[in-house]
Amino acid sequence: MMRFVAAATLLALCACARQEAPPPPQSAPPAAETAPAPAAPPSASAPAASAQSETEQATSSQESAGAAEPEHSSSDSSLEKIASAPSGTPLPEGKWKAGVNYTLLVPAQPTSVAPGKVEVLEVFWLACPHCYAFEPYLRAWQKSKAPYIEFVRVPVMWGPVHRSHAQLYYTLQVLGREDLVAKAMDTMVQQHDVMFTGNADESFKAQQQWAVKNGVNADEFAKAYNSFTVNSYLQRAEELTNRYQVKGVPLIVVNGKYSTDVQQAGGEAKLIELINDLAAAEHRR
């Protein structure tokens, strides 16, 4: 069952963007998706209803936002994006262009770091191939980043599969096994085992079995997985997904003021340069 569901899931793994899902046709073979650049919502593929169970439908539409995008209030917690930054933004002249390489967020959002620190936040998904491709750059950057930068990761919360993977991520964090995050991504992206069936209990058991194989105690995993702490983290992740109106991952937000991604920056290496320049600009303020 897991292998069959994983195969269905791969239909959606070629893109990591939020999109609307059309009603499934009565008799049509699955249509292949064309992989777009990150953060650009693609057209949804049409799953074959005749051969799909409810679980398969949930999995194959995992990139979907549901029937419609959520409405955002006009309160201070909502975001408006504008195309250009103030002329006083202290970035290297001629290197980056506001509205092209990054977007200024108005109003700026509160961060979770101490005074004097600059928050660099990544919104990601464990099963996203674009996030997986960016991961080696992030790991290298974390070893050399400026001491005033505090890196924060937030799993995206679009639908059931994303919530399930977010719960796994935070469980590993609570257990102090963040070393297994990279292995979880490798398992999902390279080995095509997404540890998700569309059923919460079955998905939990699949993730627990995977964790046990990697040295985690089964009872400790279950306790953390269902803990108040993990649930609080999930609520926060959902809040941030909505607040930043995340349409694609990986998404980078610097100090609650600037958002950018691999496509905007011009590649993974360029994105790391842009992160450093934006963070340095914020630190000088």
Side-chain angles (χ1 to χ4, degrees):
M1 176 64 178
M2 282 296 296
R3 288 184 179 180
F4 185 78
V5 173
T9 302
L10 290 179
L11 295 175
L13 285 184
C14 61
C16 300
R18 193 170 188 167
Q19 63 192 30
E20 295 185 6
Q26 294 302 312
S27 58
E33 289 189 359
T34 301
S43 298
S45 60
S50 60
Q52 282 191 317
S53 65
E54 291 182 4
T55 296
E56 293 156 25
Q57 290 176 11
T59 307
S60 64
S61 63
Q62 63 188 336
E63 297 292 350
S64 171
E69 294 292 336
E71 293 185 3
H72 296 273
S73 68
S74 57
S75 66
D76 289 341
S77 63
S78 66
L79 283 175
E80 291 182 14
K81 294 185 176 182
I82 62 175
S84 60
S87 57
T89 302
L91 289 174
E93 186 175 356
K95 188 175 182 181
W96 310 111
K97 186 175 179 181
V100 176
N101 303 120
Y102 64 91
T103 302
L104 182 69
L105 303 178
V106 178
Q109 298 298 296
T111 64
S112 59
V113 299
K117 294 286 188 177
V118 175
E119 180 187 81
V120 172
L121 182 148
E122 182 206 21
V123 186
F124 78 109
W125 176 32
L126 287 175
C128 166
H130 299 303
C131 300
Y132 184 77
F134 187 47
E135 189 71 8
Y137 294 88
L138 271 181
R139 288 184 214 158
W141 170 76
Q142 288 180 73
K143 295 177 182 178
S144 61
K145 66 180 178 62
Y148 56 78
I149 294 176
E150 188 163 331
F151 181 53
V152 178
R153 302 191 86 170
V154 176
V156 73
M157 296 281 281
W158 285 331
V161 66
H162 307 97
R163 181 180 180 85
S164 177
H165 290 166
Q167 196 162 359
L168 171 60
Y169 170 75
Y170 283 129
T171 297
L172 295 176
Q173 188 177 79
V174 167
L175 292 172
R177 293 306 308 271
E178 289 181 297
D179 60 299
L180 290 180
V181 171
K183 192 162 189 177
M185 296 180 78
D186 186 74
T187 299
M188 294 182 187
V189 178
Q190 290 296 319
Q191 299 177 34
H192 311 317
D193 180 2
V194 294
M195 295 181 272
F196 177 79
T197 69
N199 177 280
D201 290 336
E202 291 177 359
S203 298
F204 161 73
K205 289 177 182 178
Q207 293 174 13
Q208 184 185 46
Q209 290 173 4
W210 174 86
V212 169
K213 288 180 182 179
N214 286 280
V216 178
N217 178 274
D219 291 336
E220 291 179 357
F221 182 88
K223 183 178 179 180
Y225 196 88
N226 297 299
S227 68
F228 173 80
T229 300
V230 167
N231 187 59
S232 297
Y233 286 152
L234 291 172
Q235 291 178 2
R236 176 63 172 168
E238 186 166 16
E239 176 190 342
L240 290 173
T241 297
N242 291 330
R243 182 188 297 176
Y244 287 117
Q245 301 182 33
V246 180
K247 297 295 191 295
V249 290
L251 176 73
I252 297 294
V253 180
V254 178
N255 227 30
K257 295 182 180 179
Y258 311 95
S259 71
T260 185
D261 56 42
V262 174
Q263 182 183 26
Q264 282 185 291
E268 287 88 352
K270 286 291 186 182
L271 180 53
I272 293 296
E273 288 182 36
L274 178 54
I275 290 170
N276 286 333
D277 285 344
L278 287 171
E282 282 299 296
H283 185 62
R284 290 194 295 266
R285 285 183 181 276

